[in-house]
Amino acid sequence: ISSWFRKRFAHAAQTRGSQAAGPAIWDATGQIADVDSKLARTLQDWGFAAPANLETLLAVARQERRPLRSLLLGDGVVTMHQLAQIESGNLAGLYAGPLVILERLPSGPREVTHAVHDPQRGAEGILQQLAETEMADAARPDEFVQRAQAVASIESENLQGIWNVFEIDGRPAVLREGVVGSGSDGWSTLAAVPGVWYRLLLQAALGLRDLHLAGLCHGRVEASHVVATPTGLIKLMNPAVPQWLSGLDLEESPQADLKSLARLARQARQ
């Protein structure tokens, strides 16, 4: 985790280096503010940033007359979640197992979900971990893991991939592929053009076919689950997730999946 942060701070300092006025900025403006000094000291003590890189970023922040935290957020060096953990001294809030936590995502009472960076793949993903409250029922952790492993074994470009199924602090966790795109409720009117509509629908149907051939069902095909990537590839998100995670009790069958997809397809044509 330290090396991930060091690379980001080094890149930010290199990018901003030509803008820094150098030591003269402190002669003109005075000492570093206490809040900036404390943040810089924490970053250095945790090994997240080299002193020279911090000096550059502090100087740029002073030139722009804003706090160091504002510069780091504005330049995308750290996320809001990460900055909050750093400022509160919560090092454990920055990682989950081997993963770097980027942001906490909306989660239900039965799970905790984060956007994460996977150093092994050099890519961003979604980490879904079962909540502590669900560990009392032995069947639920087993089902959570077994479903994720079953999806992970499917080779399909139209399903959100599962990169890993493992444990963190004794609770099962699933690392899902990070997918950038738009849910079907946010598609432009171009999606209603017959030829485009057909290709989008066909890809979603192929994703369901791959699930059904593996003996699985999606169980909850909603607009947010049918995502179009910038390349036009359709991905079905969260395939075969247990119903009890969301507190719903929906029918799980191939027929129910297809009916839900047909409903979304009609909406896309309107």
Side-chain angles (χ1 to χ4, degrees):
I1 182 174
S2 296
S3 62
W4 184 84
F5 279 101
R6 283 196 298 272
K7 289 178 182 178
R8 295 187 71 82
F9 276 90
H11 176 74
Q14 182 179 13
T15 302
R16 287 287 205 158
S18 61
Q19 299 175 313
I25 189 66
W26 307 113
D27 296 333
T29 60
Q31 297 299 311
I32 302 174
D34 288 344
V35 64
D36 282 356
S37 179
K38 180 180 179 181
L39 176 56
R41 187 163 54 251
T42 299
L43 292 168
Q44 186 173 333
D45 290 346
W46 286 359
F48 287 180
N53 293 332
L54 282 172
E55 290 175 9
T56 297
L57 295 174
L58 282 165
V60 172
R62 178 57 62 92
Q63 285 175 236
E64 297 182 356
R65 300 181 181 277
R66 56 174 170 159
L68 176 61
R69 71 186 315 274
S70 176
L71 178 73
L72 298 180
L73 289 173
D75 284 13
V77 184
V78 296
T79 67
M80 185 66 77
H81 169 84
Q82 290 172 334
L83 184 60
Q85 306 311 304
I86 292 170
E87 290 181 328
S88 64
N90 183 25
L91 179 61
L94 296 171
Y95 63 92
L99 309 171
V100 179
I101 295 177
L102 302 176
E103 293 284 3
R104 178 157 181 163
L105 301 177
S107 308
R110 297 177 173 86
E111 62 179 330
V112 179
T113 307
H114 289 101
V116 297
H117 176 83
D118 181 0
Q120 181 179 354
R121 290 177 175 79
E124 294 184 9
I126 304 297
L127 179 68
Q128 184 183 28
Q129 185 177 21
L130 208 59
E132 185 66 43
T133 54
E134 301 308 299
M135 299 302 293
D137 185 343
R140 288 193 167 182
D142 286 346
E143 182 185 1
F144 183 79
V145 169
Q146 289 168 7
R147 285 193 178 219
Q149 290 175 336
V151 174
S153 68
I154 301 173
E155 294 186 8
S156 175
E157 66 175 2
N158 298 119
L159 295 176
Q160 181 186 24
I162 290 183
W163 289 340
N164 201 0
V165 182
F166 56 119
E167 282 193 0
I168 299 176
D169 298 329
R171 289 181 286 131
V174 175
L175 178 59
R176 300 182 184 276
E177 172 191 10
V179 178
V180 177
S182 173
S184 64
D185 53 350
W187 293 350
S188 72
T189 54
L190 288 176
V193 175
V196 176
W197 176 85
Y198 172 75
R199 286 192 292 272
L200 295 174
L201 177 60
L202 177 61
Q203 289 187 67
L206 288 174
L208 288 181
R209 178 206 63 181
D210 295 336
L211 263 180
H212 297 162
L213 287 176
L216 300 170
C217 297
H218 190 286
R220 189 183 172 194
V221 184
E222 298 180 352
S224 60
H225 295 134
V226 183
V227 172
T229 70
T231 62
L233 181 66
I234 293 296
K235 292 273 191 178
L236 295 183
M237 308 296 287
N238 292 341
V241 170
Q243 294 284 348
W244 47 262
L245 271 180
S246 59
L248 299 176
D249 186 19
L250 303 177
E251 178 187 354
E252 288 191 89
S253 68
Q255 293 82 359
D257 283 349
L258 291 173
K259 287 179 181 178
S260 296
L261 180 60
R263 174 177 50 81
L264 294 178
R266 287 195 299 270
Q267 293 173 354
R269 288 296 308 274
Q270 295 174 357

